Amino acid sequence: MEFYDRITAFHLDILREIGNIGAGNAATALSKLLNKKIDMKVPDVSLVSFDEMMDMAGGAENVVVSIFFRLEGEVPGSMFFLLPLEQADRFIYQLTGEEGAAPVRYSEIAESALRELGNIMAGSYLSALSDFTSLCLYPSVPYMSIDMAGAVISPGLIETSQVSDFAIVINTELVEDEMTPGTRINGCFFLVPDPGSFQAIFHSLGVYQSE
Amino acid sequence: MSEVKQIIKVGIADLKITETPDSLRTAGLGSCVGVVLYDASSSLAGMAHIMLPDSRMARGRELNLAKYADTALKELLSRLMGQGASSINIRAKIAGGAQMFKFTNPSDSMRIGPRNIEAVKLELERLRVPLIAEDTGGNSGRTIEFDTGSWLLNVRTVNKGSIDL
């Protein structure tokens, strides 16, 4: 916990704004890709234990499609685009015309479509973030895994876990047309900057943490 | 000894000990390794959900003993002994240490699953605890539950069903 002591509500607001800009851009990209109205929810920025982070993804055992990017550059960290299985099936159908196969066993073309979708989404999120902060961000190629949330998220916590038992997660959910009741969540982004990255983000925006 | 069987949940970077008839359970092991140490003769068992191989990797002020292979195993062993387990009867079963993503770039230095397995085995050897069964490696997430009646470790995966070790 000690590492995050100096993060104030004001800092969390800044991170929320980053989530806003990033996911807003990604929602626009998805909307164009699917020719559909896509909305985003107000980003949730919180300092959570690793167990709580799995709960945010529906519980450690909840099976999700996870597209993971390791970020290098001035803001090293981990980025996840998480999709519920039903939603992944729908995306695959919309993009390739293939009916959702048995869960967790997709065809090569379906996997590739999902990976590309993740790539477009994360790319638009990160380019917005990079424009806003003028920081260089280099995402890795997209890595995909369909498995229990606990299993697919923990590899992105290796850096954070060496410093703390908590992580700051910038969580943004995308939904199809929020006006209609009972809309389904299209997917969510978890951005988990490495502990050393927060300074860079705040400095780039002219905000300094008090000592 | 408790009358009703409870399932004790072990979180990430967490460890717990219990006695018959309770079960110990941890969910969603990926690159992490779940370790069970038990002494059937004194009806005691403990489980740790280990994230990282070596406590020397720690850069924080406080050390969470349950997070690292070396410290978690020592802590688990000493707590079991504190409850009356005898060191010569303690056995180990382990599961986890998968490679969840197929990393193409070796500089991603994400071989954390295999490193966790190696570290756990090395520490078990150092502590002279025999490893009875394991289900490690691969690329599937695992949920494990240890039953203190049968002393079996149930390992469940999304694709490959469940097995008892």
Side-chain angles (χ1 to χ4, degrees):
Chain A
M1 190 76 152
E2 72 278 0
F3 172 79
Y4 297 111
D5 283 351
R6 286 182 287 130
I7 303 263
T8 64
F10 178 56
H11 292 118
L12 293 181
D13 277 342
I14 293 172
L15 297 175
R16 195 167 293 122
E17 188 53 25
I18 281 174
N20 229 338
I21 291 171
N25 219 31
T28 309
L30 183 62
S31 176
K32 278 188 192 145
L33 189 69
L34 301 176
N35 200 16
K36 245 186 199 174
K37 191 163 182 286
I38 305 288
D39 283 322
M40 54 174 289
K41 293 195 174 174
V42 178
D44 170 47
V45 178
S46 35
L47 176 64
V48 291
S49 71
F50 301 146
D51 286 321
E52 287 166 335
M53 186 170 168
M54 303 317 163
D55 291 341
M56 288 163 66
E61 268 188 288
N62 181 34
V63 178
V64 293
V65 174
S66 162
I67 301 162
F68 168 65
F69 300 82
R70 182 66 203 153
L71 308 180
E72 300 298 339
E74 290 176 272
V75 189
S78 297
M79 167 108 179
F80 297 92
F81 181 53
L82 302 175
L83 285 171
L85 288 180
E86 318 81 69
Q87 184 57 42
D89 283 352
R90 287 203 288 149
F91 277 142
I92 289 170
Y93 182 71
Q94 283 163 323
L95 292 170
T96 68
E98 263 186 48
E99 291 285 350
V104 287
R105 220 160 280 176
Y106 293 116
S107 69
E108 207 168 304
I109 186 100
E111 277 206 16
S112 148
L114 277 182
R115 190 170 291 138
E116 189 49 30
L117 177 78
N119 212 5
I120 291 169
M121 301 294 285
S124 43
Y125 187 118
L126 293 170
S127 65
L129 170 53
S130 174
D131 286 348
F132 179 55
T133 58
S134 323
L135 292 169
C136 290
L137 289 170
Y138 306 109
S140 66
V141 296
Y143 299 109
M144 191 167 84
S145 179
I146 304 161
D147 213 306
M148 302 174 188
V152 295
I153 292 175
S154 52
L157 296 173
I158 291 165
E159 291 300 321
T160 301
S161 63
Q162 293 172 32
V163 179
S164 175
D165 286 342
F166 295 83
I168 289 183
V169 182
I170 304 169
N171 175 13
T172 336
E173 289 178 350
L174 301 179
V175 289
E176 255 172 63
D177 193 3
E178 221 170 0
M179 294 303 142
T180 331
T183 50
R184 280 162 291 192
I185 290 169
N186 273 355
C188 65
F189 289 103
F190 280 8
L191 177 63
V192 190
D194 289 352
S197 297
F198 290 98
Q199 287 284 50
I201 294 175
F202 296 140
H203 282 195
S204 74
L205 299 169
V207 176
Y208 295 87
Q209 280 168 285
S210 52
E211 290 308 317
Chain B
M1 194 181 289
S2 54
E3 298 292 316
V4 182
K5 175 176 167 164
Q6 287 186 338
I7 298 173
I8 314 267
K9 190 177 172 253
V10 180
I12 300 167
D14 184 18
L15 64 81
K16 300 259 169 67
I17 68 166
T18 191
E19 54 192 0
T20 312
D22 293 346
S23 292
L24 289 157
R25 182 175 201 275
T26 196
L29 288 167
S31 54
C32 301
V33 176
V35 178
V36 174
L37 296 186
Y38 64 98
D39 172 1
S41 62
S42 54
S43 301
L44 287 164
M47 181 184 282
H49 184 137
I50 291 164
M51 280 187 100
L52 296 168
D54 194 332
S55 59
R56 280 171 297 182
M57 293 166 86
R59 285 181 269 127
R61 210 184 303 147
E62 288 156 35
L63 187 68
N64 175 356
L65 296 175
K67 202 187 306 184
Y68 306 93
D70 55 338
T71 50
L73 290 183
K74 281 191 196 91
E75 176 67 13
L76 211 48
L77 190 65
S78 84
R79 283 208 209 168
L80 288 170
M81 310 261 284
Q83 291 295 309
S86 74
S87 63
I88 56 159
N89 291 326
I90 290 180
R91 302 285 179 267
K93 294 187 177 185
I94 66 173
Q99 184 89 0
M100 295 309 298
F101 297 96
K102 293 184 189 78
F103 293 109
T104 43
N105 180 358
S107 78
D108 275 320
S109 73
M110 302 289 258
R111 270 189 71 256
I112 200 77
R115 283 172 61 200
N116 278 336
I117 302 168
E118 284 160 29
V120 165
K121 288 185 177 171
L122 188 69
E123 195 58 33
L124 286 173
E125 234 166 75
R126 256 189 220 141
L127 299 169
R128 293 168 203 280
V129 176
L131 177 61
I132 299 300
E134 65 174 300
D135 177 34
T136 53
N139 47 26
S140 296
R142 296 172 171 91
T143 287
I144 61 171
E145 187 168 327
F146 186 69
D147 183 80
T148 56
S150 63
W151 307 102
L152 287 175
L153 181 66
N154 177 265
V155 183
R156 197 179 68 77
T157 57
V158 174
N159 279 320
K160 296 175 188 139
S162 99
I163 49 164
D164 284 310
L165 299 176

